[in-house]
Amino acid sequence: MAMITLNGKSIEVDEGLPLVEVIKDQGITITNLCYIDGLEPYAGCRTCIVEIEEARPTEIQLACTSKTADGMVIRTETEAVKHTRQGVMSMILANHPDRCLTCHRRVHCMPGDICLRDDVVTHRCLTCSKNYRCELQTSCEIVDMGEFSEPWVGESRSYYETPPPEPDRGNPYLEFDPQMCIICTRCVRACDDLRHTGALTLSGKGHSTMIAFGTGGQIHESDCDFCGACIDVCPTATLMEKPNKWRGLAEDWTNSACNGCSVGCTLSYGTANDQPVIVRPDRINPVSRDQICVRGRFGYTDVPERERLIRSLIRNGDRLLPADNFDQALDIAATSLATVKESAGADAIAVLGSPLATTEEAYVLGRLAREAIGTEHIDFSHGPLHRAVTEAFVSGLGTDQLPANLTDIEKARTIVVIGGDIEESHQVVSLRVKDAVKKHGAKLILISNRWSELVPFSEQWLQPFPGQEAATAQALADGLSSSTTHIPDTAVENTADAIATLRLAIANAESNIPVILAPTAGHGAVRAGGEAIAAVNLSIAIHSSEAAHNLYYLPTDANVIGLTDAGIVPGSTENDFPNIIEKAKNGTIKALVLHNDNPLLNTPGTPDIESALANLEVLIVIDSLKSTATQHATVVLAELPFHAKDGTLTSADRRIIRQRPAGAPQGDEREGIAILTALARALGTPINYNSAADVMRDISSSVVGYVPYDELTRSPGKIRALVESESTTAQQLPAPTVSTIPPVSDGLAIITGRSLFTSWAAASIHSDEADKLHREESALVHPQDAESVGIRNGDQAILASMANAGSELRIRIRLDDGISPGSIYIPHYYDGGALMRLMPLTSSAEPTTLMLQAMQPA
Amino acid sequence: MVNRLMGGMKLSSDTAQIQGNFSQIREDATTVYERWRKPQRPRIDVAIDTSSLANGALATSNAIEQIANDRNAAIDLGQNHGYGMQWLQPLVTVTWPNGTSVIYGPVNPDDAALIVDEATGRSGAASALAIGVLSGEHTEIPSIREHPFFAQEPEQRRLIARIGLTDPEVMEHYIGSGGWAAFARVLYRGMQPDGVRQELIDGAHGGRGGGGFPAGVKWNFLAGAPGDEHYMVCNADEGDPGAWVNRVVMEGDPHLLIEGMAIAAFATSSKRGFIYIREEYPLAVERMEQAIRHAEAAGLLGDNILGSEFSFQLEVVKGAGSYVCGEETGLLSSIQGQRGQPRIRPPFPAAVGVFMKPSNVNNVETFSHVPLILQNGHEWYREYGTEAMVGTRLFSFSGDIPNTGFMELPFGAPMQEILSACGGVSDGAELKAIHSGGPLGSLVPASAMPTLTLENNSFTPYDAMMGSGGIVFVSDRTHLVILNEFISEFVEEESCGRCTTCHGGNQRMTEIFRRIMNGDGRRADAANLKLIDDMLQQSNCVHGQFSPKPMRNLLQHFREDYEELALQRRDPTLTLPGMTKFRVANPRDSKIEDAVAICPVNAFQGSVGARSINDDACIGCGACTEVAPGAIVREPKQLEAASMPVSAGS
């Protein structure tokens, strides 16, 4: 500890802290335009000047490079400090529009006023997208730039004398306007040190020094993932979100949850006029902290305003028309359900929930199904896959409540990742893996079908052929368990090295070796189950009795765990999702309540699911958008979009993340809970909840691990729905079923996955803009396979299903040697889930294959 | 020779074995070198170095070769490094079998025949070109040591003793003339690293990069650093305009630097070293790389040097054209493949250097003195210099002087005498200033000349520094503001872009100078330049901190010149384009049509015999006065003085 005197006040602080952080913690305003909390100082802006007694060579020092030391006497408000800061600031302002920043009238001006200093409209702060939320502006206030002379007016290369450089507005997420740049390089360091992406760089020198994306081209041509970490740190209007750029001045902030994947990041929504206008990460979440991904930051803009379902719909012949009011729609829904129940019994009604909804909604949906309807046909479209995974956990580890904590990943020295491309599906976890690699030199063993951005970070990349993921992970488990290193001939490349890496980690007594399992939803339940068995076996082989503490399961969708905990579980396998579809097809099930889910997008077997939905007598959809499933609906009840909901999510590591409404309902939208309880009441069962908090009180009394909201609020992001049993077992499971590699003549084995830029919601309504970047709108084929059928890079081709006769898909082909010959990658959400039409409803250990055909030349 | 040696070498801590290994090398090398010094038939060496090449040495060399072949002359051809009289290039040395060597220059291709004649026995054929005797006896030509240009040099050269006397591309010449002996002796006498460092501290060997920090003390930091992965780095990114002393060492005696670095590595337990050479020195890069290859092949670099337990891997890293990589931490970043940005200190390189490991960075010359100090002892080293700065140092002299070149001078040498050696100021002009230390250096007023010596203390009273070896004499025909603009533009362009004060401040400084040069000075400029000066002090590295020094010197020592230009808007030098107009004084001059032809903007109007200049079109480049000095004269533009004080902010 060190005693320092800060502006005459003695305080005790840790020794060796960056002084600027201490000053800010003390609530003292200080200009620091290039510093990023927690990173090494860059010391480029030179504005965090303070006076430190007896410092050498002068008492004027930078607060970012100075470290606290015992006896240090610091003054931040002396004349010398102020004058020097003003001088430095004048250097910055010479290359930035500054007439407003130095104007004494700035507080009186309105956008329409005529400027007495003759400043043109485009140069004014008032007409800048960052006005009132600009750090440079605040900094000028702090140092009273209005009272400093303007020494550089009219100099030949100052801001007003030179034409502005071209902005980059070529992508839907991020705008780069270099004329506003003060070259603080915060963005470069955020991209390098916080994200390990390195899409940004400082280019040129001297007068031509400038920030550049990639090699200086457009942002979307660089490695940029559009996570927006650079936007968060930019002190000016140089890097801005494109959506709501001009509306992003928030009136209020709400911390809330992201349902883009199961990591459970906390988002801070800025709202204006009762609608979200901006998203920032929220540091209260110990996993995501100051980082989110493109889905979290821009997810609220995925569905354009005109596509938002703000009125309930009722079927009129072939068409769905707006209901007069909610009650009318509700009445029809309840009546038609009651009719089916009366005529065919409650068992003829099924209920599908959604991992994109809140846990509270799921709980009420479960009660609706069981109490108001009386059916055990309750599931969600990813239910079988999720249960295949958790069954492996229960058999091997005695529990499906894995105590492994995502905050441990970045501290690990050795990490195993099994499954899909988590860089795209669970980017913030991928980031923590990269943190471990970059900060601690962790060795990453990656088992993945295709090249991903994690591959360059990996020590060993094991690339199994589709269907061989489980066998590959099992080979590691077997290798560790046997005393001799016998690697089967069939093992993929690098298996022996990976075993050696793990052996070394075990020999070094590393206790934190995460085994991360991220099964790919589109690959089906059987393969996910096999991967889970292998992951359990591997974790046991590494950790023995501590296996559960080091095994991480990343479901594809946000609230799979909360949904299951809340009771969206079929009465028996007879009642599960594939059976519901089968029964609907053959007419045993006549009515379906579909809450937020869209099986046509989520799971393979579109032809079966379509005919099941078409065969229903009654389909009640409760959703905030007109998904592809709603075209079969009897009634659609308009619900709030996720960002406007109240409730919680339960993340992959069972963290209960509070979701608070950011934005008011529009039109006749209702809270999901209100709709579900109203439906129950209309069916004659009084389920009464006034709010999500009420529901959570019930959940917390019936589901172990859940707590009421006031407790969640007390320790945000830290409470986990977890009952740590005293003794978790660690029972090696029989090796998973291994598929055979199909001969190439049988077509190409499908690899799919959740792509980073494609929005679930927009894909669910089959929007052309689901992938705003249009990056993923092609299939990846190995050059070898393409050559054999005469396809060149960029050609359109036909993919013909071998499972569902007659189903085919036209798609552009991109050649990519990041996949094995004999396989093909197609994004899961491509064209509203078009791939799902080519795959069978029933899952198997074998990969689905399809035929690649060149199109006749036009 | 080299391969045979490696095969026969035994790894041993046995000092006799090491000594034996080296004796063998030296014996062989001495034979080679003596044969070169006393060749069987006359040999003509053309000086091949960057400066000579720029002055046509290659053409001369080719011409000599052509004539020698045509005549089937009984002579050999070779190369060496120029002796230092760079205004007399191309230089050629003729060595006769009796060991007498004479330097001739300037030897243009037309003179090739005379040189061949001279070499083949027609003594006196090239006597008009003879400059001096390099070695041996000659009845008619005086010794080169008596040449007035070298009047201030010590009787014997030390650092550059081999210059002219060896072919820098032949390692045997270095070894045969005493090279590698110092390091071999360190090894076979079983000297300890701290002993080596102490010898340098006793010799008060100061770094030659400009700071003058004692090298031995600096090495102590590295030697004491934790871990066994230490790096020895040579800063050969000599980028100051007007300084080319490191280039002379690298192109003229590359093995001296290698030996110095090997000793430094030994003294600090470093196993790897880098020589960071600016890309603009391709010949230095080539010769250093070749020298390293030769030394490695001879077992003098690499694993188990001379069979000892000491290993040292050395490699050349080429810069990419950034001046600021000459700042040692910027250089370290650049070696690592990162952007050449100077780092934040602390940590210092001795703790966190290249690849984040303990490192030491020294200048080329700092290393190159080391073998000499160890060979001759620190007392010998102290024979020259002053109390504060010990030894000799290489200086390059240029600017408005007729005799441009380099000299090895003791610290404390009188500047007045040096200017005389350089032939005084060109064209009878008056000396205005001494520009030392490059763009981050100083402008010392001519009035300092009587007492100015080559020592930091002598420069200090003028708020100036001597710098790293480049001295530029500036006459009163150059306006110091244009010099300042040149310096300021250079520094601005070379700013790494980290500190706003540096890339912003230097931009503004350049713009102010440009405006003043254009006859648009303001009363506020002096105050604003002072503000820039103050702000630049807030920069991270010396690039920013020192960049306002020439400007400060301008305002301190040349205030009248500055104000005459900035406020009175008068340019007595008639060199500033914005303040000068050109007039046809004699339209009938025979050269005037040449001037019309060369004008880049076609500013001449009127017909032949009645030419005049359109002032609006003229850009003031002055090319016309150079081709037709009798026809066209410079005149000042009539400009109003800056009468209104321009108050800031209005």
Side-chain angles (χ1 to χ4, degrees), chain B residues 150-164:
Chain B
F150 302 110
Q152 295 302 312
E153 283 202 343
E155 214 160 288
Q156 295 298 320
R157 281 180 166 182
R158 295 184 156 195
L159 180 72
I160 51 172
R162 285 185 188 81
I163 296 277

PDB file of all heavy atoms in Angstrom, chain B residues 150-164:
ATOM      1  N   PHE B 150      43.789  17.178 -43.074  1.00  0.00           N
ATOM      2  CA  PHE B 150      43.908  16.316 -41.894  1.00  0.00           C
ATOM      3  C   PHE B 150      44.745  16.953 -40.801  1.00  0.00           C
ATOM      4  O   PHE B 150      45.190  16.284 -39.887  1.00  0.00           O
ATOM      5  CB  PHE B 150      44.489  14.960 -42.301  1.00  0.00           C
ATOM      6  CG  PHE B 150      43.638  14.281 -43.353  1.00  0.00           C
ATOM      7  CD1 PHE B 150      44.094  14.140 -44.655  1.00  0.00           C
ATOM      8  CD2 PHE B 150      42.371  13.838 -43.031  1.00  0.00           C
ATOM      9  CE1 PHE B 150      43.297  13.547 -45.608  1.00  0.00           C
ATOM     10  CE2 PHE B 150      41.574  13.244 -43.990  1.00  0.00           C
ATOM     11  CZ  PHE B 150      42.031  13.102 -45.294  1.00  0.00           C
ATOM     12  N   ALA B 151      44.915  18.282 -40.903  1.00  0.00           N
ATOM     13  CA  ALA B 151      45.786  18.967 -39.956  1.00  0.00           C
ATOM     14  C   ALA B 151      45.342  18.760 -38.517  1.00  0.00           C
ATOM     15  O   ALA B 151      46.163  18.744 -37.600  1.00  0.00           O
ATOM     16  CB  ALA B 151      45.813  20.463 -40.288  1.00  0.00           C
ATOM     17  N   GLN B 152      44.023  18.621 -38.315  1.00  0.00           N
ATOM     18  CA  GLN B 152      43.537  18.487 -36.949  1.00  0.00           C
ATOM     19  C   GLN B 152      43.450  17.035 -36.493  1.00  0.00           C
ATOM     20  O   GLN B 152      43.121  16.767 -35.335  1.00  0.00           O
ATOM     21  CB  GLN B 152      42.165  19.159 -36.810  1.00  0.00           C
ATOM     22  CG  GLN B 152      42.206  20.653 -37.019  1.00  0.00           C
ATOM     23  CD  GLN B 152      43.152  21.321 -36.043  1.00  0.00           C
ATOM     24  OE1 GLN B 152      43.117  21.062 -34.841  1.00  0.00           O
ATOM     25  NE2 GLN B 152      44.027  22.171 -36.554  1.00  0.00           N
ATOM     26  N   GLU B 153      43.685  16.115 -37.406  1.00  0.00           N
ATOM     27  CA  GLU B 153      43.636  14.703 -36.995  1.00  0.00           C
ATOM     28  C   GLU B 153      44.850  14.380 -36.142  1.00  0.00           C
ATOM     29  O   GLU B 153      45.886  15.036 -36.243  1.00  0.00           O
ATOM     30  CB  GLU B 153      43.619  13.797 -38.241  1.00  0.00           C
ATOM     31  CG  GLU B 153      42.282  13.738 -38.933  1.00  0.00           C
ATOM     32  CD  GLU B 153      42.124  12.475 -39.785  1.00  0.00           C
ATOM     33  OE1 GLU B 153      43.140  11.832 -40.080  1.00  0.00           O
ATOM     34  OE2 GLU B 153      40.968  12.138 -40.132  1.00  0.00           O
ATOM     35  N   PRO B 154      44.775  13.347 -35.294  1.00  0.00           N
ATOM     36  CA  PRO B 154      45.965  12.925 -34.557  1.00  0.00           C
ATOM     37  C   PRO B 154      47.028  12.457 -35.552  1.00  0.00           C
ATOM     38  O   PRO B 154      46.713  12.182 -36.716  1.00  0.00           O
ATOM     39  CB  PRO B 154      45.483  11.751 -33.719  1.00  0.00           C
ATOM     40  CG  PRO B 154      44.008  11.730 -33.828  1.00  0.00           C
ATOM     41  CD  PRO B 154      43.623  12.496 -35.036  1.00  0.00           C
ATOM     42  N   GLU B 155      48.228  12.352 -35.070  1.00  0.00           N
ATOM     43  CA  GLU B 155      49.320  11.945 -35.951  1.00  0.00           C
ATOM     44  C   GLU B 155      48.998  10.623 -36.647  1.00  0.00           C
ATOM     45  O   GLU B 155      49.166  10.467 -37.844  1.00  0.00           O
ATOM     46  CB  GLU B 155      50.580  11.775 -35.132  1.00  0.00           C
ATOM     47  CG  GLU B 155      51.814  12.167 -35.878  1.00  0.00           C
ATOM     48  CD  GLU B 155      52.932  12.457 -34.889  1.00  0.00           C
ATOM     49  OE1 GLU B 155      52.873  13.493 -34.196  1.00  0.00           O
ATOM     50  OE2 GLU B 155      53.826  11.601 -34.804  1.00  0.00           O
ATOM     51  N   GLN B 156      48.508   9.711 -35.880  1.00  0.00           N
ATOM     52  CA  GLN B 156      48.067   8.429 -36.431  1.00  0.00           C
ATOM     53  C   GLN B 156      46.569   8.301 -36.236  1.00  0.00           C
ATOM     54  O   GLN B 156      46.056   8.607 -35.159  1.00  0.00           O
ATOM     55  CB  GLN B 156      48.766   7.264 -35.706  1.00  0.00           C
ATOM     56  CG  GLN B 156      50.261   7.211 -35.917  1.00  0.00           C
ATOM     57  CD  GLN B 156      50.616   6.995 -37.378  1.00  0.00           C
ATOM     58  OE1 GLN B 156      49.966   6.212 -38.074  1.00  0.00           O
ATOM     59  NE2 GLN B 156      51.642   7.705 -37.856  1.00  0.00           N
ATOM     60  N   ARG B 157      45.904   7.839 -37.293  1.00  0.00           N
ATOM     61  CA  ARG B 157      44.488   7.564 -37.122  1.00  0.00           C
ATOM     62  C   ARG B 157      44.324   6.352 -36.225  1.00  0.00           C
ATOM     63  O   ARG B 157      45.177   5.475 -36.169  1.00  0.00           O
ATOM     64  CB  ARG B 157      43.838   7.286 -38.476  1.00  0.00           C
ATOM     65  CG  ARG B 157      43.546   8.541 -39.267  1.00  0.00           C
ATOM     66  CD  ARG B 157      42.906   8.191 -40.584  1.00  0.00           C
ATOM     67  NE  ARG B 157      42.320   9.356 -41.218  1.00  0.00           N
ATOM     68  CZ  ARG B 157      41.657   9.315 -42.366  1.00  0.00           C
ATOM     69  NH1 ARG B 157      41.516   8.169 -43.012  1.00  0.00           N
ATOM     70  NH2 ARG B 157      41.138  10.398 -42.870  1.00  0.00           N
ATOM     71  N   ARG B 158      43.217   6.316 -35.511  1.00  0.00           N
ATOM     72  CA  ARG B 158      43.004   5.199 -34.590  1.00  0.00           C
ATOM     73  C   ARG B 158      41.818   4.358 -35.037  1.00  0.00           C
ATOM     74  O   ARG B 158      41.969   3.233 -35.492  1.00  0.00           O
ATOM     75  CB  ARG B 158      42.796   5.750 -33.180  1.00  0.00           C
ATOM     76  CG  ARG B 158      44.034   6.435 -32.670  1.00  0.00           C
ATOM     77  CD  ARG B 158      43.891   6.898 -31.263  1.00  0.00           C
ATOM     78  NE  ARG B 158      45.208   7.014 -30.651  1.00  0.00           N
ATOM     79  CZ  ARG B 158      45.415   7.128 -29.352  1.00  0.00           C
ATOM     80  NH1 ARG B 158      44.394   7.163 -28.525  1.00  0.00           N
ATOM     81  NH2 ARG B 158      46.630   7.193 -28.885  1.00  0.00           N
ATOM     82  N   LEU B 159      40.638   4.963 -34.916  1.00  0.00           N
ATOM     83  CA  LEU B 159      39.425   4.213 -35.260  1.00  0.00           C
ATOM     84  C   LEU B 159      39.440   3.795 -36.722  1.00  0.00           C
ATOM     85  O   LEU B 159      39.083   2.669 -37.066  1.00  0.00           O
ATOM     86  CB  LEU B 159      38.197   5.085 -34.974  1.00  0.00           C
ATOM     87  CG  LEU B 159      36.857   4.429 -35.278  1.00  0.00           C
ATOM     88  CD1 LEU B 159      36.544   3.355 -34.251  1.00  0.00           C
ATOM     89  CD2 LEU B 159      35.744   5.457 -35.321  1.00  0.00           C
ATOM     90  N   ILE B 160      39.866   4.730 -37.586  1.00  0.00           N
ATOM     91  CA  ILE B 160      39.807   4.434 -39.011  1.00  0.00           C
ATOM     92  C   ILE B 160      41.211   4.222 -39.568  1.00  0.00           C
ATOM     93  O   ILE B 160      41.506   4.559 -40.709  1.00  0.00           O
ATOM     94  CB  ILE B 160      39.065   5.540 -39.783  1.00  0.00           C
ATOM     95  CG1 ILE B 160      39.625   6.916 -39.443  1.00  0.00           C
ATOM     96  CG2 ILE B 160      37.575   5.480 -39.499  1.00  0.00           C
ATOM     97  CD1 ILE B 160      39.059   8.032 -40.313  1.00  0.00           C
ATOM     98  N   ALA B 161      42.054   3.615 -38.732  1.00  0.00           N
ATOM     99  CA  ALA B 161      43.448   3.418 -39.144  1.00  0.00           C
ATOM    100  C   ALA B 161      43.544   2.570 -40.417  1.00  0.00           C
ATOM    101  O   ALA B 161      44.470   2.727 -41.203  1.00  0.00           O
ATOM    102  CB  ALA B 161      44.225   2.753 -38.017  1.00  0.00           C
ATOM    103  N   ARG B 162      42.579   1.702 -40.627  1.00  0.00           N
ATOM    104  CA  ARG B 162      42.686   0.801 -41.782  1.00  0.00           C
ATOM    105  C   ARG B 162      42.128   1.412 -43.062  1.00  0.00           C
ATOM    106  O   ARG B 162      42.322   0.859 -44.136  1.00  0.00           O
ATOM    107  CB  ARG B 162      41.909  -0.490 -41.495  1.00  0.00           C
ATOM    108  CG  ARG B 162      42.610  -1.404 -40.533  1.00  0.00           C
ATOM    109  CD  ARG B 162      41.869  -2.698 -40.378  1.00  0.00           C
ATOM    110  NE  ARG B 162      42.461  -3.466 -39.302  1.00  0.00           N
ATOM    111  CZ  ARG B 162      42.207  -3.260 -38.033  1.00  0.00           C
ATOM    112  NH1 ARG B 162      41.324  -2.348 -37.674  1.00  0.00           N
ATOM    113  NH2 ARG B 162      42.822  -3.973 -37.104  1.00  0.00           N
ATOM    114  N   ILE B 163      41.397   2.508 -42.912  1.00  0.00           N
ATOM    115  CA  ILE B 163      40.737   3.085 -44.080  1.00  0.00           C
ATOM    116  C   ILE B 163      41.771   3.399 -45.162  1.00  0.00           C
ATOM    117  O   ILE B 163      42.745   4.081 -44.907  1.00  0.00           O
ATOM    118  CB  ILE B 163      39.974   4.363 -43.688  1.00  0.00           C
ATOM    119  CG1 ILE B 163      38.856   4.026 -42.725  1.00  0.00           C
ATOM    120  CG2 ILE B 163      39.469   5.106 -44.916  1.00  0.00           C
ATOM    121  CD1 ILE B 163      37.589   3.546 -43.335  1.00  0.00           C
ATOM    122  N   GLY B 164      41.536   2.886 -46.344  1.00  0.00           N
ATOM    123  CA  GLY B 164      42.460   3.117 -47.460  1.00  0.00           C
ATOM    124  C   GLY B 164      43.552   2.074 -47.535  1.00  0.00           C
ATOM    125  O   GLY B 164      44.113   1.849 -48.596  1.00  0.00           O
TER     126      GLY B 164
END
